[in-house]
Amino acid sequence: PPPPCDTSLLDCKRRVHYLTRTALHSVLRMATKDEPKDEKSHLDPNEVVSVDEARKTLQSLLQRNGNEFCADCSSKKCSWASVNLGIFLCTNCAGVHRSMGVHISFVQSITLDTKWKRKWLQTLTSGISNDHQNIEYEYHVPSKWYKPVEDEPRSYRESYIKAKYQDKLFRKGEGDNQTR
């Protein structure tokens, strides 16, 4: 029951607040009671999706603005994905990611791997694009570093990628703590 309302303004405000909150909760309960459930929200994130569903989703993600280049170099040939970082990669950069270990970057081939978990596709989808992810991972790249180009030697490519993801030197608040 609502608290009794005497003549004080504070008591009246408390009563209005109580009634408003109670009414709002009732309306929300009634509105969600008969609402159809979103099918995908109840799917197991560890479920392996069909090859067709995975390929369709991946091709759609590769068409997004910001995914036309590898997240780590200038290559336009993205055929790999780091499913925990939410980025797309070329073959050369994917090799470096694989060498760092799955605890840093778990890499899957877009064309060769046939087992894709729903949660991996969700991570790639929520990452928005390589450009978006690089806002975080390349927040501050010191002048001594430059982004590798497509035909960059493996040694520099590896140093850059390890500094970026393993050592987190370029992230905001990391490395030398400079701002842009």
Side-chain angles (χ1 to χ4, degrees):
C5 183
D6 62 19
T7 56
S8 80
L9 182 59
L10 182 60
D11 283 339
C12 288
K13 284 183 179 180
R14 285 184 185 142
R15 182 174 174 82
V16 168
H17 176 73
Y18 173 84
L19 293 171
T20 303
R21 190 181 61 201
T22 303
L24 181 60
H25 285 290
S26 296
V27 168
L28 288 174
R29 271 197 309 272
M30 289 185 330
T32 58
K33 185 177 175 181
D34 299 324
E35 207 173 76
K37 303 293 183 204
D38 178 16
E39 285 182 31
K40 290 191 177 185
S41 67
H42 297 293
L43 296 174
D44 180 6
N46 288 313
E47 172 191 10
V48 175
V49 300
S50 72
V51 174
D52 288 339
E53 181 182 349
R55 294 251 161 83
K56 182 179 173 186
T57 302
L58 291 166
Q59 288 308 314
S60 171
L61 291 170
L62 283 169
Q63 300 303 315
R64 282 185 178 175
N65 285 338
N67 285 340
E68 53 272 338
F69 296 101
C70 170
D72 295 329
C73 77
S74 61
S75 175
K76 284 190 167 189
K77 301 171 190 159
C78 293
S79 56
W80 295 82
S82 173
V83 298
N84 63 317
L85 296 174
I87 56 174
F88 291 97
L89 305 162
C90 69
T91 301
N92 290 330
C93 291
V96 176
H97 278 255
R98 282 185 173 262
S99 73
M100 292 189 295
V102 296
H103 63 289
I104 295 172
S105 183
F106 183 51
V107 180
Q108 289 278 101
S109 169
I110 293 171
T111 55
L112 301 175
D113 287 315
T114 56
K115 293 185 179 176
W116 282 81
K117 290 186 180 181
R118 186 169 307 285
K119 68 181 176 182
W120 299 342
L121 295 173
Q122 289 169 340
T123 299
L124 287 166
T125 302
S126 66
I128 302 175
S129 72
N130 286 349
D131 286 350
H132 182 79
Q133 292 297 79
N134 279 338
I135 290 170
E136 178 182 344
Y137 289 105
E138 294 178 344
Y139 181 80
H140 173 72
V141 180
S143 59
K144 71 177 186 175
W145 293 96
Y146 63 90
K147 192 168 184 122
V149 292
E150 186 173 4
D151 59 349
E152 195 73 49
R154 165 91 182 199
S155 59
Y156 180 76
R157 182 186 307 268
E158 186 171 340
S159 296
Y160 181 87
I161 291 172
K162 285 184 175 182
K164 182 176 175 180
Y165 299 103
Q166 186 173 306
D167 302 332
K168 302 176 184 175
L169 292 181
F170 312 149
R171 290 180 76 169
K172 185 176 182 177
E174 304 285 342
D176 60 4
N177 290 322
Q178 293 181 13
T179 57
R180 276 192 162 166

